[in-house]
Amino acid sequence: GDCDQAEIHKDKQFTGKWLDGLDKKADNCDVNAKGEWANQGCSQGGPVGSMGRPFNEAGGGTFAAEWDPEGGHFRTWFWPAAQGPPEDVSAHKPQPDTWGMPYSYFKLSEDQCNKDHFKDMHLVFDITFCGDFGSPTFAGGCPEVAKQMTCEEFVEKHPENFTEAYWSLRGLDVYQAIRPVNLADFPGGPLQAQPQHRQWPDVYGRFGVPVDTFGEDTFPQGQVFAPQAP
């Protein structure tokens, strides 16, 4: 496929690990890539303590994800609650290049994985009751349960196992990069923008400038997402 990420290596560009496909590492973002589950895409696992019971018992943490078409990458980071996020994140002035190696990294380039593949993006929170890919990989994650019932039966008949399966967000910040502007393009003088923002979640521009107001259930296309879970 034209979105092969095989040249991206653990401990060189990211600290996580490639997840397994059918018979190879899932390092090709093409939804029909050979050796991977249908629609699996390129899959990298997050750090220890960033999900499930260990995540809850540690009091949650802060995630940040960067989509930078101009920089040519996707990157994500996680900081456990005990550590807390970097000061620039808490100050709503994120500087991703100072955060160290991300736990996941995907490269965008003209000849490898064109940035034009990605547009009109949405931020989605979901709960994968039976693992990342549901039924196809259920036995791998829950082998003892899978011997007795299917993924669907497990979810339908055992709600007591999902009492802690929910999202609780302390805040969600969405940032959009500010690119250099050539003032010569505006003979009438520099633009005087008057943006507004809502109080929750607080939404700021990448360097402290709030982005335009938007609806309760939608978020503008941006670059850095920093949800904080209690």
Side-chain angles (χ1 to χ4, degrees), residues 180-199:
V181 176
N182 184 357
L183 296 183
D185 295 335
F186 303 94
L191 299 178
Q192 299 296 320
Q194 298 295 330
Q196 297 177 329
H197 67 282
R198 291 186 289 118
Q199 292 301 309

Side-chain angles (χ1 to χ4, degrees), residues 8-156:
I8 306 301
H9 298 288
K10 172 180 169 59
D11 297 329
K12 289 187 177 181
Q13 288 95 353
F14 70 106
T15 62
K17 65 177 182 179
W18 287 110
L19 299 184
D20 292 329
L22 281 168
D23 54 22
K24 62 181 287 292
K25 293 180 179 178
D27 54 10
N28 192 319
C29 300
D30 191 310
V31 296
N32 297 309
K34 293 181 179 180
E36 298 181 12
W37 299 101
N39 206 37
Q40 180 175 6
C42 40
S43 304
Q44 294 174 353
V48 174
S50 62
M51 62 178 294
R53 181 173 295 174
F55 176 76
N56 291 345
E57 292 177 345
T62 301
F63 297 87
E66 180 189 36
W67 167 31
D68 191 346
E70 301 305 320
H73 57 247
F74 287 95
R75 299 187 292 184
T76 56
W77 294 263
F78 170 73
W79 304 281
Q83 173 185 346
E87 292 183 2
D88 57 297
V89 174
S90 299
H92 304 291
K93 298 181 179 180
Q95 300 291 333
D97 288 340
T98 68
W99 298 344
M101 188 179 296
Y103 77 74
S104 73
Y105 176 90
F106 304 97
K107 182 179 180 180
L108 303 176
S109 64
E110 293 296 325
D111 59 346
Q112 187 176 45
C113 196
N114 195 292
K115 64 182 181 181
D116 293 335
H117 280 299
F118 308 95
K119 56 186 177 181
D120 300 327
M121 302 281 275
H122 296 270
L123 184 60
V124 178
F125 291 87
D126 77 331
I127 298 176
T128 52
F129 291 115
C130 296
D132 287 341
F133 307 108
S135 296
T137 57
F138 181 49
C142 301
E144 295 304 316
V145 176
K147 291 178 182 178
Q148 305 174 44
M149 65 192 75
T150 65
C151 158
E152 291 80 4
E153 291 171 337
F154 180 56
V155 174
E156 181 181 359

